[in-house]
Amino acid sequence: MFKNGKLTFKEETPAPIGTKKEHFWNVLIVDDDPGIHEVSRMALAGFMFERKKCNFISAYSADEALDILQKTPNIALALVDVVMETEHAGLDLVNAIRNELKNKLTRIILRTGQPGQAPEEKVIHDYDINDYKGKSELTTQKLYTSVLTSLRTYRDMVAMEKNRQGLKKIINASSSIENISSLEIFLSAVLEQLAALLHLTDYDDGGDLSSFMAVIDDDYCLQIAGSGRFKDITKEAFAAQANEHIRPLVMETIASGEELQKDAQYIIYRPSVLDYSGFVLYMEIEDIIDDMDKDLIRLFFDKATVAYENAVLTEELEESQKEIIFTISEIAEKRSNETGKHVKRVALYSKLLAKACGLSPMEVENIYVASPMHDIGKIAIPDDILKKPGRLTDDEMHIMKTHASIGHDMLKASKRNILKMSAIIADGHHEKYDGSGYPKGLKGEEISIYARIVAL
């Protein structure tokens, strides 16, 4: 929060945000010969790919390897011996990885000291592996090359899978953008997708690196979208995640008006055209982001801020429209001496009944706003009839009943869904299920469900 000109966040107990943790590629060595494990570790001791070393995990049988793979799903590469507890234990392990564990990402290099027992052509054809080498031919350089190629493929496959999952989330979210809440879900999905597209994915734990987009003001900092540790947390919990380690960087970014890339963090600030100060995009990164990637991030951020501002303005406009409708409806009700807050009670009951009837969320919200207009036609009824304390004559009752049709005629020309529904409700809220109502004497389901709800 901003207090005395400073942006502050609540303390948190987890590890500080922005603290760079060690990253590595998990490499599983599967061989019943301890010497092979030692030689492999020595040959790859200085290996690095994308500034990450290898974290070697040893298994001395296919069964042990399968257990490790079940418990550690983010194994990037497995170096697997063919002949172990059985002559085809390695091949059985490959089959289990791909078909039982449904693991299509882990790269597999088969190694054998007895190539005649598992001919290369058949193995390559029948098994989903990356490489097949005889131990005698696998020099340090060849092993280095095979590992590098496999890890690059693993990285790209993880990115593609995350892109696929991210695209699925975006498609699902985009179909239901109706308000700020659904827009925030959509932007979170895009933020995850962006991290995967730029290879900003945390391959060690299979998740997205932490990032968030937030709106800030003098007295609050409100998350709009998030990934990693900022994903699926409540707005109240956001302050506990965004701790004091971010505050100086955010302040520095706001003060300078420039993008900030410092340590393992990248921050962008944009002022807002609305009443609050502006927007901040925070991303945890491992490498320097090149200009093309920055352009993509800026594009996302700029489009996201515009979309959010538009959503806020649209929501404010809709709230204003609702207030106008309620006010007009209350004016009409007061002319007929209805008790206070009658239209609001009708709106709330109609909303509850609409939910109970299984109407869509949009219909439920629309009937909540439209139902107060049910008696709007009474504006046209003369006061001597509308406010008559005694029983109405037949002629007076005939005039009174015209308020339903008058209300319908007043509203029917609108192209707005809420006013269209209001017209239907005004016209049908005095119809009776048995056909004895007015103005058209409709029966049963000839009467709109909206009108039946409000009538009840």
Side-chain angles (χ1 to χ4, degrees), residues 375-391:
D375 274 341
I376 192 67
K378 287 183 179 179
I379 290 177
I381 304 300
D383 280 355
D384 59 336
I385 295 175
L386 190 65
K387 296 182 178 182
K388 183 177 180 178
R391 186 179 180 86

Side-chain angles (χ1 to χ4, degrees), residues 115-171:
Q117 289 184 289
E120 180 175 351
E121 182 178 346
K122 179 175 176 55
V123 171
I124 290 290
H125 182 273
D126 294 346
Y127 294 87
D128 181 8
I129 62 174
N130 286 81
D131 208 346
Y132 183 54
K133 299 289 187 184
K135 292 179 182 179
S136 60
E137 65 170 316
L138 200 56
T139 63
T140 298
Q141 184 57 49
K142 287 184 177 180
L143 179 60
Y144 185 98
T145 301
S146 292
V147 171
L148 179 63
T149 302
S150 297
L151 291 180
R152 182 178 288 123
T153 303
Y154 173 79
R155 177 205 64 188
D156 293 342
M157 289 186 68
V158 169
M160 284 190 291
E161 176 61 20
K162 286 198 165 290
N163 286 339
R164 187 180 70 83
Q165 294 294 335
L167 183 59
K168 183 178 180 181
K169 290 180 181 179
I170 289 172
I171 291 171

Side-chain angles (χ1 to χ4, degrees), residues 62-76:
D63 288 341
E64 185 181 357
L66 191 60
D67 184 61
I68 291 172
L69 283 157
Q70 288 174 322
K71 296 176 181 177
T72 315
N74 57 320
I75 299 292

Side-chain angles (χ1 to χ4, degrees), residues 163-201:
N163 286 339
R164 187 180 70 83
Q165 294 294 335
L167 183 59
K168 183 178 180 181
K169 290 180 181 179
I170 289 172
I171 291 171
N172 288 337
S174 64
S175 64
S176 59
I177 296 179
E178 298 172 355
N179 49 41
I180 291 177
S181 177
S182 55
L183 175 63
E184 290 173 353
I185 295 172
F186 175 76
L187 292 177
S188 291
V190 177
L191 196 57
E192 292 177 30
Q193 177 79 349
L194 184 65
L197 186 63
L198 300 179
H199 294 305
L200 299 179
T201 300

Side-chain angles (χ1 to χ4, degrees), residues 262-333:
K262 193 170 186 179
D263 298 326
Q265 293 142 112
Y266 179 55
I267 303 175
I268 310 177
Y269 170 77
R270 293 284 187 274
S272 174
V273 299
L274 301 179
D275 294 337
Y276 37 78
S277 172
F279 299 91
V280 166
L281 176 65
Y282 169 91
M283 302 183 78
E284 290 184 352
I285 57 175
E286 290 303 308
D287 299 311
I288 300 299
I289 305 176
D290 63 31
D291 290 339
M292 290 185 65
D293 288 348
K294 284 183 179 179
D295 285 342
L296 186 58
I297 293 172
R298 293 186 195 109
L299 179 63
F300 159 75
F301 189 40
D302 290 340
K303 296 297 183 182
T305 56
V306 171
Y308 191 81
E309 287 176 330
N310 288 341
V312 170
L313 292 172
T314 299
E315 195 164 273
E316 288 180 354
L317 179 60
E318 289 176 350
E319 289 302 316
S320 297
Q321 291 173 338
K322 290 177 184 178
E323 287 185 16
I324 291 170
I325 289 173
F326 275 108
T327 300
I328 292 174
S329 301
E330 286 180 344
I331 291 172
E333 294 294 341

Side-chain angles (χ1 to χ4, degrees), residues 4 16 25 121 135 172 188 195 205 229 236 312 349 410:
N4 300 322
W25 304 100
E121 182 178 346
K135 292 179 182 179
N172 288 337
S188 291
D205 60 16
R229 76 189 69 189
E236 293 75 17
V312 170
Y349 280 127
M410 290 170 62

